[in-house]
Amino acid sequence: MAQTLSGKTLSGKTLSGKTVAILATDGVELVELTEPMKALNEAGAAVEIVSLKAGDFQGFNHLTPGDKVTADKAVAGVDASAYSALMLPGGVANPDQLRANEDAVKFVRAFFDAGKPVAAICHAPWLLIEAGVVEGRTMTAFDSIRTDLRNAGAHVVDEPVVVDQGLVTSRNPDDIPAFNAKMIEEFAEGRHREQAEKTQGVQPVAH
């Protein structure tokens, strides 16, 4: 059953002992990376930033270059089994580059196959489409990619945050408070058997 939330204060959830991956690269919308990362750290999670290569990549504030972000690891060398959950920030160029990288797509798909929770905001669901995991799901996203989601078989709604069996999605930076609250809640709950069931028999987009 999908849920929607207009926003509420998070309380009583801990991610102590959990390691969360954030997958991002050049063009990431900084606030969609830094604010969820702060919330994850405050909830007790260990956070690792994974990118196309280890080291610095360029963050953006909408269309203006901002601070650089340092990736802890390259996606080609990491295993999703090392993480409890995955967070995907937006920005236009960020998910567009990631969805063209086979290692990044496989990394994302592995979380769904294992029933692990995933949170994606703004343009990040482009990467979920590429991983073949949106069909039959209720989701939201930035308005310009909602047609892409519908074409991939998702049921798209215009809500601040939507939860569907461990998958958390939001539309834009204004939704970050609600997004963070539901992200922490789902990550604290851990594996969702239904998450894996939704992707059985559905293959990622072939490259």
Side-chain angles (χ1 to χ4, degrees):
M1 177 67 70
Q3 306 168 29
T4 61
L5 178 78
S6 296
K8 68 177 183 180
T9 302
L10 177 70
S11 63
K13 296 295 182 182
T14 178
L15 299 180
S16 179
K18 295 180 181 289
T19 302
V20 176
I22 296 179
L23 179 62
T25 191
D26 292 313
V28 67
E29 184 71 32
L30 279 170
V31 70
E32 294 174 359
L33 187 157
T34 58
E35 287 302 307
M37 184 173 180
K38 179 182 177 182
L40 289 166
N41 284 327
E42 289 177 348
V47 179
E48 291 185 352
I49 298 177
V50 179
S51 189
L52 297 180
K53 61 182 181 180
D56 292 346
F57 58 90
Q58 184 65 58
F60 274 71
N61 299 307
H62 191 43
L63 298 177
T64 304
D67 294 337
K68 289 193 173 181
V69 180
T70 301
D72 300 295
K73 296 178 179 178
V75 69
V78 298
D79 189 333
S81 66
Y83 302 97
S84 300
L86 174 66
M87 187 266 154
L88 300 171
V92 179
N94 164 51
D96 195 43
Q97 293 181 81
L98 291 171
R99 65 178 176 167
N101 182 276
E102 184 177 356
D103 291 315
V105 174
K106 287 181 177 179
F107 184 68
V108 171
R109 174 65 185 234
F111 283 86
F112 287 85
D113 288 341
K116 295 180 179 180
V118 175
I121 189 168
C122 199
H123 288 76
W126 259 343
L127 188 51
L128 303 183
I129 292 170
E130 201 73 21
V133 297
V134 307
E135 185 175 354
R137 290 185 177 276
T138 300
M139 302 173 63
T140 194
F142 194 73
D143 54 7
S144 67
I145 72 166
R146 292 177 193 168
T147 297
D148 297 336
L149 283 169
R150 292 188 186 98
N151 289 341
H155 172 60
V156 181
V157 297
D158 185 13
E159 297 285 348
V161 64
V162 178
V163 180
D164 188 329
Q165 304 297 350
L167 174 61
V168 181
T169 51
S170 282
R171 305 169 299 185
N172 56 53
D174 291 341
D175 298 333
I176 287 175
F179 177 75
N180 286 348
K182 292 305 292 184
M183 173 182 66
I184 300 300
E185 183 176 324
E186 293 300 305
F187 286 9
E189 288 181 7
R191 291 177 184 264
H192 291 67
R193 178 174 54 84
E194 299 88 348
Q195 174 89 308
E197 288 176 351
K198 284 199 177 228
T199 59
Q200 288 178 356
V202 181
Q203 297 302 314
V205 177
H207 287 275

